[in-house]
Amino acid sequence: MTEPDYPDIQIGLQSGQAAILLERLETLRSELGVIGEELIMLLRGAGVTPPSEPGQ
């Protein structure tokens, strides 16, 4: 999968909310398909990590 180019996208969630959203998206990754993958990449590209990962 290629890296998306979305330089103008901003994530307007508090870091805790974004982390929970990312965790849930990754849990549902197979059901969400391409859209889920893109959302995960956007969140990770913005520096979001799931609460279960170190650094959060």
Side-chain angles (χ1 to χ4, degrees), residues 3-46:
E3 193 71 25
D5 183 27
Y6 303 113
D8 296 334
I9 291 182
Q10 295 181 7
I11 298 171
L13 297 174
Q14 295 177 354
S15 63
Q17 291 174 322
I20 292 168
L21 175 60
L22 177 59
E23 184 175 58
R24 291 179 181 166
L25 286 171
E26 288 184 338
T27 300
L28 297 171
R29 177 178 250 147
S30 62
E31 288 88 5
L32 297 173
V34 174
I35 299 295
E37 289 296 327
E38 288 194 22
L39 289 170
I40 289 167
M41 287 174 48
L42 285 170
L43 288 166
R44 288 214 173 254

